[in-house]
Amino acid sequence: MQPLRPENRASPDLVPALGPGLYIVATPIGNLGDLSPRAAAVLAGVALIAAEDSRVTAKLLHHIGVRVPMLAYHDHSDDKVRQGLIARALREPVALVSDAGTPLISDPGYKLVRDARAAGVNLVTIPGPCAAVAALTLSGLPTDRFLFAGFLPAKAGARATAIAELAGIRATLVLYESGPRLAASLAALAQGLGDRPAAIGRELTKRFEESVAGSLSELAARYAEAAPRGEIVITIAPPGESHPADAATLDSALQAALAGGSVKTAVAAVSAALKLPRAQVYARALVLKAENGAC
Ligand code: SAM
């Protein structure tokens, strides 16, 4: 990473006189050029930066020629750390950043913002890069309604249950994933949601950025051959208008849920997700169980 040329550094004239408060600052997800001038000015103007990993944020500060004290913050940090930050933000400007992208989005910050709000701290957001939104814009999938579901659980059973809960949602789904787990997650998604159109956003804003479209099963086969490197977002089309909860959708959601839990749990999850009567789902679950001899 090259430091900025002197003329591009945060000049003293650009450093704002910030009032007390918690400034939630989005940072680049790979391309340093995506740090907004306002974000750089706020980082230069605060008294303290609460950072997920101060070593990562130190590189960003070096890039913009700024030196500000930092404190490590996670939502599982001791309550004293959080209360200390809130006390500071009541009397001086404090920034919250994560390693990359928008704080709080699959990153630390929720508990800090919740408690800061309750304590009457002035809250200011400095919006910017977010991998979920960046992937959505490239996906070619509907953007009028989308659901960001973070990371799927790592274990197959919990993952199948989580997918069953998503099956009936009439919105584009957005998930974060890692390269080594991508193929297995896509296969589980194809089974639990039906073979919907999807896109994989990889290394967004970086040199090897790509957005690859295909059906979930096509993408699963593609990435089973070789696990992709880098950071990944999965986007998945909403269930088709004509068969939101048709027999195939019900069967695939039930099979996924039955693989991860009891009939009772599977029926509860699938009937809620697909908005189908429990009795109908239960009857179909018994048939599938008998046919497959599974679970
Ligand atoms: N707060 C961040 C944001 O606003 O996007 C997300 C943090 S989350 C811990 C990290 C995950 O975001 C990665 O595992 C990956 O799924 C996704 N991600 C982050 N940067 C990305 C990029 N440049 N391209 C694709 N996905 C990315």
Side-chain angles (χ1 to χ4, degrees), residues 19-265:
L22 182 66
Y23 294 77
I24 303 154
V25 182
T27 60
I29 55 170
N31 188 323
L32 288 172
D34 292 336
L35 186 76
S36 75
R38 183 173 174 230
V42 167
L43 291 176
V46 293
L48 176 71
I49 298 175
E52 185 180 3
D53 182 337
S54 55
R55 290 163 304 181
V56 173
T57 300
K59 290 181 192 160
L60 181 69
L61 295 186
H62 177 69
H63 174 71
I64 56 173
V66 160
R67 283 187 143 189
V68 174
M70 283 188 274
L71 183 75
Y73 176 75
H74 293 270
D75 277 338
H76 51 79
S77 291
D78 195 275
D79 201 43
K80 279 189 199 147
V81 175
R82 192 156 39 250
Q83 292 312 321
L85 281 169
I86 290 170
R88 296 275 305 259
L90 281 167
R91 56 176 197 269
E92 58 191 348
V94 174
L96 169 69
V97 299
S98 59
D99 287 353
T102 301
L104 286 86
I105 306 302
S106 287
D107 265 344
Y110 155 64
K111 288 184 183 172
L112 179 61
V113 171
R114 177 195 65 189
D115 293 357
R117 177 176 275 277
V121 169
N122 177 37
L123 291 171
V124 183
T125 188
I126 289 76
C130 176
V133 174
L136 193 60
T137 62
L138 288 175
S139 68
L141 300 175
T143 53
D144 54 335
R145 278 162 60 88
F146 63 91
L147 179 90
F148 172 62
F151 289 92
L152 288 171
K155 293 193 177 158
R159 184 174 62 199
T161 304
I163 291 171
E165 285 170 5
L166 296 173
I169 292 169
R170 303 189 61 76
T172 295
L173 302 175
V174 185
L175 295 160
Y176 286 162
E177 193 47 281
S178 71
R181 284 178 16 190
L182 180 62
S185 289
L186 288 169
L189 285 160
Q191 195 188 10
L193 302 179
D195 198 12
R196 298 189 195 171
I200 304 302
R202 192 173 72 83
E203 292 289 89
L204 301 174
T205 77
K206 304 185 202 176
R207 186 167 170 209
F208 296 109
E209 168 178 300
E210 64 177 9
S211 178
V212 179
S215 75
L216 282 168
S217 64
E218 287 165 356
L219 292 167
R222 173 187 176 125
Y223 292 110
E225 282 174 20
R229 289 167 188 260
E231 299 192 280
I232 286 153
V233 183
I234 306 173
T235 44
I236 305 163
E241 293 297 321
S242 54
H243 48 86
D246 60 10
T249 305
L250 172 59
D251 281 6
S252 62
L254 261 178
Q255 271 158 347
L258 284 168
S262 67
V263 170
K264 194 176 163 195
T265 320

